[in-house]
Amino acid sequence: MDDDGLIMNFAIPDGTQTFKKTAPKAGGLSWRERRAKFKLGEGAGPKSGVNSIAVAKRAPRENKGNFNKPNRDGQSKDKQNSEGSSGSQKRSHPEELAESKKLKFTEKSGEKGGINNTYVSSLFTAQTKGPTLEETTAESVSHQPSNAPLKDDSTFEGLGLTEKLSQHLTSSMKYVAPTKVQRAVISKMIDSQQDYFVKAQTGSGKTLAFVLPIIHRLMTEPDLITRLSGLFAVILTPTRELAVQIHAVLESILRCHHHIVPGVVVGGEKKKSEKARIRKGVNILVATPGRLADHLENTTSLDVSQVRWLVLDEGDRLVELGFQETITKITDHLSQHSRINSNKWIELPPRRVNILCSATMPDDVKQFGSTILEKPEMISIDRGSEINATAPDQLVLKVLTVPPKLRLVTLAACLKNVPLHSEEVSRSIVFLSCANSVDYHFDVFAHGGKTTLLKDVEENEDEEGDEKNKKPTKPEIVYSTAPQINSNSVVFRLHGSLSQQLRSATILAFISNAAANSNKHFVLLCTDVASRGLDMPNISNVVEYDPPFTVDDHLHRIGRSARLGKAGEATIFLLPGEEEGYVDGKLRVVHPKKGSLRIVKYETILENAFSQEDAPDNKTGKKDPKAKAGKWDMHATTWHLEVERWLLENTAALEKASNAFVSHVRAYATHIGLEKMYFNVKTLHLGHLAKAFGLRETPKKLGSKSGENEGKKKEDPRKKMLRLARLAEKSKASEFNY
């Protein structure tokens, strides 16, 4: 899609327009100025001859954390000071502002009020639509974990697993007991040849549920199975990261039985190395659909004649990303080349067993599964419901209704507020809608920090898998310190446009927990590529900075926390207005437990993060006792203005911000039809939203190119916007790099 193709309903000043300065109406001053004048007995009229800044300087500061309110003309006090007004109120010089100690920042004079002739608007202005959700009163409600290991007399050995495998799970891998889904699936898969739909909450142990029965039956085969015996199981996953993780789990389990060999093939890795591993022989193969289809077509040493299990993990994501056709080709190939001999391997199923696993089971997934699975049995332990999936009971979801201007600074505040641990790393995951937005926000928080580059990157190979014509790869940043959050934070990024080597290195560095990293806060900025199946330790908070495209995506995102019975916390950002209806319309359905969903004021988050004591006065050596409580809004404004100034000074960063904004708007337009009532791109305030990307003006990329429609009939802007939104929706998987 052309970045310049999306037309929105707004006009961008071209710099040639002139603006008539008008005097404020009577009573048009802010409430601070009117209150100060009232105390001085001068009334509140605009023609009293009292300078507003001087009055504000003399007025006592009794209220804490108040915002700058707009006057009756719709202008904020900050904008009046920057643009000026007629009559007795004159433009205040930066020196006068600094002396007033009212603001901690100054701007060079310009026709439009800011440096480089840019517009300046205050963060804290009254919104046309303020939040309507009432803050949830503090309550200590704790629920028993719904995805924790069982506390009854259930054991792995009691489910039918061999003693050798059971002891390895409990002693070496520290699994105390099976979970509900493991108890339900393992015992059935050990004895039957049935196909299964498996539906269970995120973090409930579905991977072990289908892996353990396969390993058990391979281990108990009378004729010893080795890597030369053939391929018996194929596991398909939607993402490379999940495939690598499942392969790591298999390697850990099979340390108790080295004869069985797992393998993995994913896009982005060297095909020559994968072919060599396949040629040596593997018994269980984990793969992404595209790469497996490639090997089935081009790798002659890949023999699938003895495959007895086909597992589709995260089935809903496989369908969402459009892998149905590829998976159908794979299953057809498996069926055509099947040469199962039940007399040779007596403990293995006499036919191929198909299993589809997911935390959610929408209709399109069931329909697709019915074409792959033969007379499947549904195994659902999600409170007996096969329709509505729910979040883990012990997870707490905080809902923040944040005005568009304040989104970026509130995100920074959320990350600043994460508590640190002296013995381990605190981890947060922030989900954004598109790759461009991930890259931009990574640069924002890493600005001024120390970066760590990917070392020993393997050289690329050509399309044939040969090592001819090698091209050296350029150094890539794995992570960086994040001084824009605090000195203890380290920021990572993950999305589908990064090289596979960088993606693997990023995951490995993020989950590391070396002693040298204690008392640190690791922050992973990512797209939905990290929302499915990944098991990461000690996730303090999952932040949905951009709302999910579906409520199922929401469940998978927050499922990175509160895994296997551990406590968890998640935060979702919503905009005032229609998006607030998402709480009662969708979120309360998947968070039904009392106290598991809480409405939190964004002002509280900002105050906790940006309240700070000023340095002692040089003359008296004393601190202002009211400084900490009263100036958090100024500190937040200063933080955001530093981001704006950095963009104005850095052309490359400004271009990234503009691209991120455009991609964000396009991604917003791709919400499914059932949720468009909450997320309608036509209701976005583009100017305020651009402010959250550090932009002082809405990028011209959202407008049409000059001369584009010359000689042609102009297309209605709103119709063109909707047409392009539909095109974006069709190409979502490739456009936004999940």
Side-chain angles (χ1 to χ4, degrees), residues 541-563:
N541 191 20
V542 174
V543 180
E544 293 186 274
Y545 183 60
D546 292 337
F549 292 101
T550 68
V551 72
D552 290 343
D553 290 334
H554 165 72
L555 285 173
H556 285 287
R557 285 175 168 187
I558 64 176
R560 300 316 98 210
S561 185
R563 300 182 68 80

Side-chain angles (χ1 to χ4, degrees), residues 9-25:
N9 189 21
F10 65 93
I12 302 174
D14 58 6
T16 61
Q17 298 174 351
T18 59
F19 300 92
K20 183 179 180 180
K21 301 179 180 179
T22 58
K25 299 177 182 179

Side-chain angles (χ1 to χ4, degrees), residues 465-518:
D466 298 327
E467 294 185 353
K468 300 177 182 179
N469 302 322
K470 289 183 177 180
K471 297 179 181 179
T473 56
K474 62 180 181 181
E476 297 177 290
I477 298 175
V478 180
Y479 59 88
S480 172
T481 58
Q484 306 308 319
I485 300 175
N486 52 49
S487 59
N488 295 80
S489 294
V490 180
V491 64
F492 302 75
R493 60 176 175 157
L494 184 69
H495 57 74
S497 292
L498 302 176
S499 68
Q500 182 56 40
Q501 290 85 358
L502 181 58
R503 289 165 66 172
S504 301
T506 298
I507 290 291
L508 186 61
F510 181 70
I511 64 177
S512 66
N513 197 19
N517 290 329
S518 60

Side-chain angles (χ1 to χ4, degrees), residues 222-234:
D223 292 339
L224 181 65
I225 289 180
T226 67
R227 68 189 315 158
L228 300 178
S229 301
L231 177 63
F232 296 101
V234 174

Side-chain angles (χ1 to χ4, degrees), residues 302-363:
L302 180 56
D303 181 8
V304 295
S305 63
Q306 294 300 315
V307 170
R308 309 300 177 99
W309 291 277
L310 174 63
V311 180
L312 307 180
D313 195 16
E314 301 294 344
D316 57 343
R317 187 62 170 170
L318 289 170
V319 172
E320 183 181 342
L321 293 179
F323 285 124
Q324 298 98 314
E325 184 177 350
T326 304
I327 294 174
T328 301
K329 290 181 179 179
I330 292 173
T331 55
D332 290 343
H333 185 95
L334 294 177
S335 299
Q336 293 170 6
H337 293 79
S338 178
R339 302 291 184 270
I340 293 178
N341 185 351
S342 58
N343 295 326
K344 184 177 182 181
W345 308 107
I346 60 176
E347 289 296 327
L348 303 187
R351 56 174 291 273
R352 191 182 79 227
V353 175
N354 304 294
I355 302 155
L356 190 150
C357 302
S358 182
T360 58
M361 203 69 68
D363 292 338

